[in-house]
Amino acid sequence: MSFDITTHNFSTSAQEGFTFALKLPTGADSGAKLTVLGELSPTVKTYSRKKFAEYQQRQVMLKRKGKEDEQISLDEAEEMAVENALVRLVGWEGISEEGKEIKFTKEKAREVLTAHSWIRDSIISESQDVLNFQPKTLKI
């Protein structure tokens, strides 16, 4: 038997997304389901490459100005964490505000992810778990 790169294409399945039940920090089921892209998806990889290029550009500019590596602010770190989760989140169900179901939009997702860091953490964790994105043709 040989390794078939088509059958074992985790990048393709990562782009198809994975839906998981959101757990509260206590471990209890929240009643919400989130759909995320996997870390190996082309969308997430493109985002990561873009951020890395921006970081490198920033370092080049600092060196030209004769400065050392500049630390980012807490606000910048928070915004980066929100963006990192936001690029992975592609849908939800069962999320409400004051008893009313919230339709998924990137704008509303940004608001929720800014306010709830534990949801960001769940999104990143599920996105990084390659086993969540097993190709459908792969039998384990």
Side-chain angles (χ1 to χ4, degrees):
M1 178 148 76
S2 65
F3 174 73
D4 187 324
I5 60 173
T6 304
T7 304
H8 295 84
N9 191 337
F10 284 84
S11 291
T12 299
S13 56
Q15 188 67 28
E16 292 169 3
F18 171 74
T19 300
F20 69 96
L22 180 64
K23 301 283 186 201
L24 296 170
T26 62
D29 188 3
S30 71
K33 292 186 178 183
L34 305 179
T35 302
V36 296
L37 300 178
E39 189 165 81
L40 299 177
S41 76
T43 299
V44 175
K45 289 196 298 190
T46 298
Y47 168 81
S48 296
R49 286 185 184 112
K50 177 183 169 214
K51 287 299 174 187
F52 182 73
E54 288 172 5
Y55 172 78
Q56 285 185 313
Q57 182 67 27
R58 183 176 177 169
Q59 296 309 307
V60 167
M61 295 303 289
L62 287 171
K63 283 185 180 182
R64 285 185 184 158
K65 294 178 181 179
K67 296 182 179 179
E68 292 293 317
D69 188 14
E70 193 174 73
Q71 298 297 314
I72 62 171
S73 71
L74 187 56
D75 287 341
E76 286 175 305
E78 177 93 10
E79 180 58 28
M80 288 170 54
V82 169
E83 289 295 324
N84 192 22
L86 189 61
V87 74
R88 298 160 193 261
L89 181 62
V90 293
W92 67 37
E93 60 183 64
I95 297 207
S96 61
E97 186 172 42
E98 296 181 2
K100 295 180 184 174
E101 190 86 12
I102 302 172
K103 181 180 176 189
F104 175 80
T105 65
K106 286 293 186 174
E107 294 78 23
K108 191 61 179 179
R110 177 183 303 282
E111 193 178 306
V112 170
L113 297 177
T114 299
H116 302 280
S117 62
W118 63 274
I119 297 176
R120 291 193 312 256
D121 295 343
S122 295
I123 290 167
I124 300 301
S125 177
E126 293 293 337
S127 177
Q128 289 176 334
D129 187 348
V130 71
L131 295 180
N132 287 337
F133 303 93
Q134 294 180 42
K136 290 171 181 45
T137 57
L138 185 61
K139 293 186 169 78
I140 295 181

